[in-house]
Amino acid sequence: MLEGSVVEVKTRMPGTSLPLPVNTPIATVGSTDYFDSSHARTGFAERQKELGDKLAYDVVAELWHHVFCDVPDFLETMFPVDEDLISRVFISVKNSNLYKAKPKMPRWTCYPIRPSNEASLYAPFVELVEKIQGCLQCMQSRQPALNNLQWQVHSSITPATRDPYIPAIKPDIIAAHTGSLVDGNIPWSRIVVPIEVKKAATEYPGPAILQLLKYVRLIFRESPDRCFVFGIVLARLNIAVYLADRTGVIGSTVFDIHAVSAVG
């Protein structure tokens, strides 16, 4: 795929059979693109399924020709970090045995190389991020504590919403501002970074991107004042970062989470 090129979002619609390119949102809808808005005509479970299908349809329809992947220098532009700070963090994680910089197999020691299932990646990734975040906080003791951002496994919890008929989908992992929540259930509006995880190390996980963008759409829906949302797709050891605003999506190249170049 050409760097910076537009990824054409294709969907299967009634009476058509369009090719489905990689690294693009993919959706399959039923025999009609009409969805009855009457709650009384369907049961809750059926309505949830209907709303989930419509959410996928809407994401694909709205992002046609508005998804850019493999954007050159995306991470360096979005997250400019002082090289000296990167070097100090890298030294710190190596000294603490968090990262093994072996020539043949550099890796994060707490992150599995051959996961037994998708869920086995959730907690290790959160642990990894929190430890790196802890290193940063120690080195920037005079700075605020990274906006009190909390990373959590969220795959079994549907985020809170003001709409009881919103699709009951669950991000695998989230970074959120927890603040002083009454019942501990984090609402969509407080999610800063949703993460979709896949066990397979596919280079271009198209369905995972669609799932991620469904989370992003619900965050925008529940947060009228939000201008943009960052999201992450983690396919075992391959990772990509995306930035969505209300006009489209751009994303980084896919990189190996264990690669030294990605770390330091």
Side-chain angles (χ1 to χ4, degrees):
M1 181 171 298
L2 297 177
E3 290 189 339
S5 63
V6 176
V7 177
E8 294 189 358
V9 182
K10 308 252 186 192
T11 180
R12 295 188 185 276
M13 295 297 294
T16 67
S17 181
L18 299 177
L20 298 174
V22 295
N23 200 21
T24 184
I26 299 172
T28 301
V29 296
S31 59
T32 176
D33 58 1
Y34 172 74
F35 295 86
D36 190 352
S37 61
S38 172
H39 292 176
R41 295 184 61 178
T42 61
F44 183 78
E46 184 180 348
R47 180 61 178 168
Q48 279 291 318
K49 174 64 168 60
E50 184 180 81
L51 289 172
D53 290 344
K54 186 178 186 301
L55 177 61
Y57 175 88
D58 289 343
V59 167
V60 173
E62 291 182 2
L63 290 178
W64 186 279
H65 288 184
H66 291 84
V67 177
F68 294 77
C69 296
D70 298 330
V71 175
D73 302 320
F74 174 87
L75 294 176
E76 293 80 1
T77 302
M78 292 293 105
F79 308 102
V81 182
D82 181 72
E83 290 293 335
D84 179 64
L85 178 59
I86 293 177
S87 297
R88 287 189 290 136
V89 170
F90 191 36
I91 292 172
S92 176
V93 297
K94 286 194 297 182
N95 291 342
S96 62
N97 203 36
L98 179 60
Y99 187 79
K100 292 288 188 181
K102 297 180 179 180
K104 293 185 178 180
M105 187 182 290
R107 61 180 295 264
W108 296 101
T109 55
C110 67
Y111 192 80
I113 295 179
R114 298 178 181 84
S116 57
N117 52 54
E118 178 184 304
S120 64
L121 294 172
Y122 300 161
F125 183 81
V126 171
E127 179 186 357
L128 173 59
V129 174
E130 288 180 337
K131 287 183 176 180
I132 294 175
Q133 184 171 289
C135 290
L136 285 170
Q137 290 175 341
C138 291
M139 295 176 183
Q140 297 178 305
S141 57
R142 297 180 181 179
Q143 301 295 325
L146 299 178
N147 297 318
N148 295 317
L149 200 62
Q150 300 294 318
W151 297 80
Q152 297 183 12
V153 176
H154 218 263
S155 57
S156 61
I157 307 171
T158 302
T161 174
R162 296 170 295 179
D163 182 358
Y165 282 91
I166 203 169
I169 59 176
K170 310 173 185 69
D172 295 326
I173 301 171
I174 62 170
H177 293 302
T178 55
S180 54
L181 297 175
V182 176
D183 58 1
N185 192 5
I186 298 172
W188 284 106
S189 58
R190 292 200 184 184
I191 296 177
V192 179
V193 183
I195 301 175
E196 176 64 12
V197 180
K198 296 297 180 186
K199 175 188 173 183
T202 52
E203 185 177 1
Y204 293 112
I209 299 175
L210 172 61
Q211 191 65 25
L212 176 70
L213 296 181
K214 287 161 68 175
Y215 306 148
V216 169
R217 180 178 171 85
L218 294 184
I219 291 172
F220 278 134
R221 174 176 172 172
E222 294 287 298
S223 311
D225 58 341
R226 288 283 285 273
C227 296
F228 62 89
V229 178
F230 282 104
I232 295 174
V233 168
L234 176 64
R236 193 163 73 183
L237 51 80
N238 289 326
I239 187 169
V241 181
Y242 297 89
L243 169 63
D245 61 19
R246 296 182 184 271
T247 63
V249 181
I250 59 176
S252 72
T253 56
V254 178
F255 60 92
D256 185 339
I257 194 173
H258 294 291
V260 174
S261 58
V263 179

